[in-house]
Amino acid sequence: AQVALDRARQNLAYTSIYAPIDGVVVERNVDVGQTVASSYSTPQLFLIAKDLSQMQILASVDESDIGLIRQQQAVRFSVQAYPNQTFEGRVSQVRLQSKTTENVVNYTVAVAVQNASGKLLPGMTATVDFLTGAASNVLSVPNAALRYRPPQEELAKLGRPQGAGNAFAASPDAGSRAEGGGTRRRRPENVGVLWHLDARGKLTATRVRTGITDGQKTEVAGPALKEGMQVIVGSTQTEQNTGAGIFQPAAPTPQRGGPRRGGF
């Protein structure tokens, strides 16, 4: 009788279930009075978040970009609930297990996020930008300025042959390759040309060294560059009564189109 009593008391103690951690209940899967059977597997009664002030993002990164991701790398992200606000975090883990989705290999990157304000909620979808490079106190120009090439008639007025607007200065160690019996220098990857108007209003080209880019602006450096210099990003053709075209460079204001100090 004593053994049966002890067994009954032990079984009664099993009916009291305690949370293993302190936290906030995110999901409740059972109701009061519901029978829970654990014969085959342990059922999930509650889903508890230990600390909502410390959040984690599981970002999917494809294999072509995973080589740029490293520990403690800065991250910026946004969520649909706050489209005009940008949040920050840092890479805490790069998981080695890959997943293939539609023939694309992806890796999971864990991003640690501080959520002291409580705005971020579990289950939100985040759009993540990994900061792979940064430059401070450098000159930058719009990418359109590096792509701009004057019309051929304007190059002819400057005494340049056709195609000269696309020419780049090759460094001495850039190497060369034979093509059609001749030798042609390879274009260095970090060399560009900026077109601008000099003090006399004459179209002038300046060769520059390019650095990192964010897709809209590119870092540039060169002895002839200075902050606030107006560079050309496009041109228009206007017709006179005689039908002749007049070349008009579209030079933006220094605040919008010229080299600017800053970081990105």
Side-chain angles (χ1 to χ4, degrees):
Q2 183 64 41
V3 172
L5 177 60
D6 293 341
R7 182 181 297 110
R9 288 175 176 174
Q10 186 65 32
N11 291 333
L12 179 62
Y14 290 153
T15 61
S16 299
I17 302 175
Y18 299 92
I21 60 174
D22 294 335
V24 179
V25 175
V26 178
E27 181 181 355
R28 178 174 61 85
N29 298 322
V30 294
D31 297 323
V32 177
Q34 180 178 341
T35 301
V36 179
S38 59
S39 302
Y40 300 101
S41 61
T42 303
Q44 177 177 306
L45 306 181
F46 298 92
L47 180 62
I48 302 175
K50 181 178 180 180
D51 186 5
L52 291 179
S53 64
Q54 303 287 334
M55 303 287 284
Q56 180 178 263
I57 300 176
L58 299 181
S60 181
V61 181
D62 61 61
E63 60 178 332
S64 61
D65 297 327
I66 195 63
L68 301 174
I69 309 303
R70 60 187 183 275
Q71 293 281 348
Q72 297 301 316
Q73 187 173 8
V75 173
R76 294 182 304 195
F77 67 94
S78 60
V79 294
Q80 296 181 0
Y82 308 100
N84 298 325
Q85 185 174 357
T86 301
F87 302 89
E88 296 181 355
R90 290 196 174 272
V91 175
S92 60
Q93 184 184 34
V94 179
R95 298 182 179 176
L96 304 181
Q97 178 63 36
S98 63
K99 297 180 181 180
T100 303
T101 305
E102 297 181 357
N103 295 327
V104 178
V105 179
N106 297 304
Y107 293 87
T108 300
V109 177
V111 179
V113 178
Q114 298 289 335
N115 186 33
S117 63
K119 291 184 177 181
L120 301 176
L121 303 178
M124 283 185 170
T125 301
T127 302
V128 182
D129 293 328
F130 295 92
L131 304 183
T132 58
S136 300
N137 197 28
V138 296
L139 292 174
S140 63
V141 296
N143 288 354
L146 294 171
R147 295 191 300 264
Y148 172 75
R149 297 295 177 265
Q152 295 297 336
E153 56 270 17
E154 291 300 321
L155 292 177
K157 294 179 182 179
L158 297 176
R160 296 172 180 262
Q162 289 190 356
N166 296 323
F168 288 80
S171 58
D173 57 346
S176 61
R177 60 183 175 88
E179 181 177 343
T183 301
R184 182 179 179 182
R185 291 183 175 181
R186 292 183 307 195
R187 187 186 72 185
E189 296 181 354
N190 61 338
V191 175
V193 175
L194 288 178
W195 291 88
H196 61 94
L197 300 179
D198 58 15
R200 297 174 297 175
K202 183 179 179 181
L203 188 64
T204 306
T206 300
R207 289 179 173 85
V208 296
R209 293 282 180 177
T210 59
I212 63 175
T213 178
D214 61 356
Q216 298 179 349
K217 298 183 299 180
T218 299
E219 174 191 354
V220 291
L225 294 180
K226 59 182 180 179
E227 185 176 2
M229 185 176 70
Q230 291 185 334
V231 295
I232 301 175
V233 297
S235 59
T236 58
Q237 292 284 347
T238 59
E239 298 293 335
Q240 290 182 330
N241 295 332
T242 58
I246 299 178
F247 171 73
Q248 293 185 350
T253 60
Q255 290 77 12
R256 296 181 56 188
R260 294 166 50 185
R261 290 282 179 182
F264 56 101

